[in-house]
């Protein structure tokens, strides 16, 4: 048995079979190509702009605070809650007003625009635990880029506000603990 001979024999049989049915092969090719060209012309152009955001966990010494703030489950929950707040109606309304995505100031139209904007935004987690992609789709490539950039900056601003609030709470906690320990030492 010659494996090379069997391979060439099999290839020859396949090619001769295709050649005998060349009319059918050409017909299928023409139909599929025509369908693809038709769909390419009737479907609207949609542009997608994406940005990758890395969610950096707080760097708190584990001697002061337990390791729960750097635990992967805590980070996932924190990312999810920040995304939920970020995709809330008030944030999306600000974006719509900034980019004039609704024709008038009617609240019904604004609600519809918020729904459309929400559908155009996708948030996809990446392989790394604290990284995700934020994407926006639009028929206008420049608007897709601008809205994605604005959404990313809004997310970062909101995350900074949350971290500032947490830092203030941590500072208050540490000051209270220091005062309590100081009083304990004075009593001894």
């Amino acid at each position: 048995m010659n494996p090379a001979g069997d391979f060439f024999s099999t290839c020859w049989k396949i090619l001769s079979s295709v050649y005998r049915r060349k009319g059918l092969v050409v017909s299928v090719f023409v139909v599929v190509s025509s369908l693809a060209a038709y769909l390419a012309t009737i479907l609207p152009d949609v542009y997608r702009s994406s940005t990758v955001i890395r969610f950096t966990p707080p760097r708190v010494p584990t001697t002061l605070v337990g390791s729960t703030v750097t635990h992967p489950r805590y980070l996932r929950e924190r990312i999810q809650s920040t995304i939920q707040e970020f995709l809330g109606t008030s944030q999306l309304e600000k974006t719509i007003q900034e980019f004039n995505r609704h024709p008038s100031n009617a609240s019904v139209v604004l609600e519809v625009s918020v729904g459309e904007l929400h559908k155009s935004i996708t948030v996809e987690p990446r392989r790394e635990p604290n990284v995700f992609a934020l994407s926006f789709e639009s028929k206008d490539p420049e608007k897709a880029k601008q809205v994605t950039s604005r959404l990313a900056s809004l997310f970062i601003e909101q995350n900074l506000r949350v971290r500032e609030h947490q830092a203030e709470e941590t500072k208050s906690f540490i000051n209270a603990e220091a005062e309590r320990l100081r009083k304990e030492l004075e009593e001894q």
Side-chain angles (χ1 to χ4, degrees), residues 29-47:
F29 177 76
V30 168
V31 168
V32 170
S33 298
S34 300
L35 183 62
Y38 174 72
L39 288 176
T41 57
I42 66 163
L43 291 176
D45 293 335
V46 177
Y47 298 93

Side-chain angles (χ1 to χ4, degrees), residues 79-139:
I79 291 171
Q80 286 299 326
S81 67
T82 305
I83 289 171
Q84 291 298 326
E85 290 175 30
F86 166 71
L87 292 177
T89 304
S90 62
Q91 293 288 347
L92 296 181
E93 284 177 357
K94 288 178 191 175
T95 305
I96 289 169
Q97 290 169 350
E98 184 176 334
F99 290 98
N100 296 326
R101 288 197 41 133
H102 65 290
S104 68
N105 291 332
S107 62
V108 174
V109 174
L110 187 60
E111 288 178 17
V112 170
S113 295
V114 166
E116 290 173 2
L117 181 63
H118 198 276
K119 288 178 187 174
S120 300
I121 298 170
T122 54
V123 179
E124 301 167 336
R126 296 294 173 127
R127 291 180 191 244
E128 300 160 32
N130 8 326
V131 177
F132 63 94
L134 176 68
S135 302
F136 177 74
E137 292 181 351
S138 174
K139 294 180 181 178

Side-chain angles (χ1 to χ4, degrees), residues 17-76:
S17 176
V18 169
Y19 183 73
R20 282 192 306 262
R21 293 172 182 85
K22 63 184 169 228
L24 179 63
V25 171
V26 169
S27 299
V28 169
F29 177 76
V30 168
V31 168
V32 170
S33 298
S34 300
L35 183 62
Y38 174 72
L39 288 176
T41 57
I42 66 163
L43 291 176
D45 293 335
V46 177
Y47 298 93
R48 182 179 211 176
S49 178
S50 298
T51 185
V52 176
I53 298 175
R54 178 178 301 277
F55 198 86
T56 307
R59 293 182 181 92
V60 179
T62 56
T63 57
L64 294 177
V65 179
S67 64
T68 57
V69 294
T70 57
H71 191 275
R73 192 172 110 216
Y74 168 80
L75 289 175
R76 280 193 300 273

